[in-house]
Amino acid sequence: MKRFSWKLPVWLTDYLGMAGALAILLAVFGFTAENFFSRSTFLIIADQVPDITILAVGMTFVLIIAGIDLSVGSVMGLSGTVVGALLVNAGQPVWLAVMAGVVVGFGCGLLNGLVTVRWSLPSFIVTLGMMEIARGAALRVTQSRTIYIPGYLDFITETRLLGISLPFLLAVGIVLLAQLVLSRTVFGRYMVAVGTNEEAVRLSGINPRPIKLVVFALSGLLAGLASIIQTARYQANPNNGQGVELQVIAAVVIGGTSLMGGRGSVISTFFGVLIISVLETGLAQANAQESTKRLITGAVIVAAVILDYYRQRIRHGKAG
């Protein structure tokens, strides 16, 4: 007679683990930071995460194929300045300016992919170059100054459904859609296969180059989309998104996506974004110094990577 053994699916244990870590963090700041458990605090967190979440979705896909995109922050900044320039300087309709910003992001991502796959170059170097190109172009478009957009994009940040901002709902929708693509489509399985063993994919008769090209293009498109939200909040500043790529990579890594490729989850990435946002908000409310914030955030990232290492060893039956 077979013995019945009840076991949670691996994906569910991962999500429960991330949710548990987030709950612990909330509890810690609930006790240490005054008025942390308040409606205003959670609204601040919800307003902070949409653009980072959208960028992190694209970064998750890129890391799954064993690549990296260091240009997302600069591409977001460039896309936002194009929106501002078209709206204010050229007097174009809002919808056209928004579309132009998204197209610019898509174009930068497509160029990253084309250069990476055409000459088989490391995506680290290619996107590092794009980071500088996009930032320089943003400074050029704005003449190194902020372009103010009086009221044109206010509806994006001011629209709320049941008290939740439209950008947050959009970000959650993108997370769910991306997770479906990753886990329920042939393209998602190809991404994982390319990140696991690109040569094996090639030998099986599947060309990995179009897959990589599409992933980088998607990362750029999502950066362009995120720029609309950030521009609506901070105006068209050429310095928007500066350094945000490190925050995005940190969120994705905390979410358990492997830097070596072949493994990742968009929903876990979303938990990673929330963990970083709660950490930063809680430390700010606890009046922690900037040096302390960076030390703690860095320690959390390293701890997440170490924990993920041991979790994978246990999952594959290894010890030590």
Side-chain angles (χ1 to χ4, degrees):
M1 187 178 184
K2 257 190 178 177
R3 197 183 205 177
F4 175 76
S5 88
W6 184 78
K7 193 176 178 183
L8 285 172
V10 171
W11 61 267
L12 184 55
T13 58
D14 287 346
Y15 294 163
L16 289 175
M18 295 297 296
L22 182 60
I24 291 170
L25 205 56
L26 288 169
V28 168
F29 286 123
F31 284 110
T32 58
E34 191 177 349
N35 299 323
F36 181 79
F37 280 122
S38 64
R39 184 174 182 272
S40 60
T41 297
F42 291 112
L43 285 178
I44 288 170
I45 292 171
D47 289 341
Q48 283 178 346
V49 301
D51 45 355
I52 302 296
T53 299
I54 294 170
L55 292 176
V57 169
M59 188 67 76
T60 302
F61 281 7
V62 172
L63 287 179
I64 284 173
I65 65 166
I68 196 164
D69 189 351
L70 298 179
S71 68
V72 289
S74 295
V75 169
M76 181 171 68
L78 173 60
S79 299
T81 58
V82 168
V83 172
L86 280 176
L87 275 174
V88 177
N89 295 345
Q92 299 296 327
V94 174
W95 67 267
L96 182 60
V98 167
M99 286 296 296
V102 174
V103 168
V104 166
F106 175 77
C108 291
L110 186 63
L111 187 58
N112 279 336
L114 284 170
V115 174
T116 298
V117 302
R118 171 64 181 82
W119 287 283
S120 300
L121 297 175
S123 57
F124 178 90
I125 300 299
V126 175
T127 58
L128 182 64
M130 178 58 74
M131 179 176 73
E132 291 300 308
I133 292 169
R135 186 63 63 189
L139 292 167
R140 187 91 175 183
V141 167
T142 60
Q143 298 180 350
S144 301
R145 60 185 176 82
T146 299
I147 298 177
Y148 293 96
I149 309 172
Y152 289 110
L153 298 176
D154 287 351
F155 72 94
I156 294 175
T157 53
E158 291 177 358
T159 302
R160 292 186 179 272
L161 299 174
L162 301 176
I164 303 173
S165 68
L166 180 62
F168 183 81
L169 293 173
L170 174 65
V172 170
I174 290 173
V175 166
L176 294 176
L177 179 60
Q179 183 62 40
L180 283 174
V181 170
L182 179 60
S183 60
R184 302 294 181 191
T185 67
V186 174
F187 180 73
R189 290 194 288 273
Y190 283 172
M191 280 196 294
V192 173
V194 168
T196 303
N197 192 329
E198 185 176 338
E199 186 60 27
V201 170
R202 187 179 291 108
L203 292 174
S204 68
I206 300 167
N207 186 356
R209 299 174 77 179
I211 298 164
K212 297 171 74 172
L213 182 62
V214 169
V215 168
F216 278 104
L218 277 174
S219 180
L221 185 146
L222 289 170
L225 186 60
S227 76
I228 310 304
I229 296 171
Q230 189 168 80
T231 303
R233 191 186 303 143
Y234 300 122
Q235 304 296 322
N237 188 322
N239 293 313
N240 279 350
Q242 194 158 20
V244 79
E245 56 278 343
L246 299 180
Q247 189 177 4
V248 171
I249 293 170
V252 177
V253 170
I254 287 174
T257 297
S258 172
L259 288 169
M260 300 297 104
R263 179 171 54 82
S265 163
V266 181
I267 292 178
S268 293
T269 288
F270 183 53
F271 276 115
V273 172
L274 291 177
I275 286 171
I276 285 185
S277 184
V278 168
L279 187 63
E280 290 182 347
T281 303
L283 289 172
Q285 290 196 4
N287 297 317
Q289 295 181 347
E290 183 63 27
S291 57
T292 304
K293 291 180 192 176
R294 300 187 74 165
L295 280 169
I296 293 174
T297 303
V300 168
I301 293 167
V302 174
V305 175
I306 294 172
L307 286 172
D308 184 64
Y309 168 80
Y310 282 107
R311 182 178 62 182
Q312 292 307 311
R313 290 183 69 87
I314 291 169
R315 183 176 295 170
H316 292 93
K318 297 177 182 177

